[in-house]
Amino acid sequence: MNTSLDKNRIPRHVAIIMDGNGRWAKAKGQPRLFGHNAGMEALREIVRHSQTLGVKYLTVYAFSTESGKRPEDEGAGLFKLLVKYFGSEIDELHANHVKVNIIGDWSKLPAESKQAINDALEKTKNNDGLVFSIALNYGGRDEIARAVKNIIESGVNAADITEELMSKNLYTADIPDPELVIRTSGELRLSNFLIWQSAYSEIVITPVLWPDFTKEEYEKCILEYQGRDRRFGGIK
Ligand code: FPP
């Protein structure tokens, strides 16, 4: 571990926008799916290292609601990759007490992907280690609209709608807000990821493309986070 890291100030919840697989592949003259495959390897390392560092919640943005706009074969390839990922990782995740969680509307995913997800959720549901959330067909605005629908349908009076009630009706109901949001590949946007939950998050952007995001790069991001002065809108 990087000796400059303060072990007592590791963020409890880290959320990551894994971006740049396509550009990484293109730079190598390879098809985009080659990049996604490499991205899967990077993800494996980051999940492992989150446990080593003592991160309690890790949330990754894999496919946005806009991912449907990708070419059809790329979309299908990504869903196959998800099945492959769980196929090769679930035993290790479970052995390490990782609890798998999915945020987003995964109800319309291909049957094979849904099966893999269901198996992973079922197998790890009682685990008390790292809570590892994967955003699939997730959009932050969609999540907020759904929360409002749920609240109205449950018959709550307008006067009783609070921020806390909203939070409890999001996909992340049981998960604290992320202290740190990391985005790879240099883009300076949240892209509709955890827009409610990241209201006070520190955002760290690295130019590194996701397949090149190693545990050392991860630690650099946490170090940058530890150097920030978090005021939550107030003054110190
Ligand atoms: C962004 O790169 C990446 C994705 C949309 C897919 C993320 C998928 C993985 C990291 C693979 C493993 C994940 C799971 C959960 C199995 P991009 O294609 O948008 O890159 P670009 O901006 O360079 O085109």
Side-chain angles (χ1 to χ4, degrees):
M1 201 190 293
N2 188 321
T3 48
S4 314
L5 268 186
D6 181 348
K7 286 200 287 298
N8 299 317
R9 286 200 303 132
I10 297 294
R12 187 164 51 149
H13 182 181
V14 179
I16 307 182
I17 302 174
M18 309 180 289
D19 197 9
N21 294 348
R23 275 161 285 169
W24 184 88
K26 196 173 173 206
K28 294 189 153 39
Q30 296 285 345
R32 294 176 58 82
L33 271 171
F34 181 77
H36 294 319
N37 243 304
M40 190 172 82
E41 300 299 325
L43 180 60
R44 177 178 295 143
E45 176 167 328
I46 295 311
V47 173
R48 282 192 186 135
H49 205 54
S50 296
Q51 297 169 76
T52 306
L53 291 171
V55 170
K56 183 72 183 104
Y57 301 87
L58 174 71
T59 303
V60 298
Y61 202 15
F63 324 136
S64 70
T65 42
E66 288 87 40
S67 291
K69 293 180 194 136
R70 287 170 194 267
E72 209 175 298
D73 57 339
E74 185 182 352
L78 279 168
F79 289 130
K80 284 216 174 73
L81 202 59
L82 184 70
V83 175
K84 184 173 154 192
Y85 177 78
F86 281 130
S88 65
E89 296 305 299
I90 196 64
D91 287 340
E92 181 185 325
L93 293 171
H94 185 49
N96 290 324
H97 315 286
V98 174
K99 182 175 179 167
V100 174
N101 182 42
I102 305 290
I103 62 170
D105 179 12
W106 53 283
S107 64
K108 290 179 192 72
L109 262 53
E112 196 195 12
S113 305
K114 287 208 291 195
Q115 187 62 52
I117 291 170
N118 268 319
D119 292 349
L121 294 176
E122 185 59 30
K123 186 164 183 150
T124 63
K125 68 178 181 199
N126 295 321
N127 288 350
D128 60 1
L130 174 75
V131 177
F132 172 38
S133 302
I134 306 176
L136 294 173
N137 194 27
Y138 169 89
R141 289 186 175 182
D142 174 63
E143 178 183 38
I144 293 169
R146 277 163 190 268
V148 173
K149 270 187 218 156
N150 285 345
I151 291 170
I152 291 175
E153 277 169 13
S154 69
V156 172
N157 289 324
D160 296 327
I161 296 179
T162 59
E163 291 183 14
E164 200 193 347
L165 186 65
M166 282 293 296
S167 294
K168 286 215 171 81
N169 280 276
L170 300 174
Y171 289 121
T172 50
D174 302 322
I175 298 177
D177 291 340
E179 288 86 357
L180 170 62
V181 177
I182 297 172
R183 181 167 192 156
T184 60
S185 92
E187 237 64 74
L188 305 175
R189 291 185 287 278
L190 279 177
S191 298
N192 206 15
F193 181 50
L194 301 182
I195 50 176
W196 174 280
Q197 299 87 335
S198 62
Y200 292 104
S201 304
E202 293 300 327
I203 301 177
V204 172
I205 312 279
T206 164
V208 173
L209 303 176
W210 177 253
D212 291 330
F213 193 74
T214 57
K215 55 181 193 284
E216 289 77 20
E217 295 296 337
Y218 188 21
E219 291 188 352
K220 273 194 222 162
C221 293
I222 296 180
L223 204 57
E224 184 171 337
Y225 158 82
Q226 291 185 340
R228 300 272 178 92
D229 178 19
R230 303 195 73 208
R231 290 193 301 268
F232 299 94
I235 47 167
K236 256 194 180 161

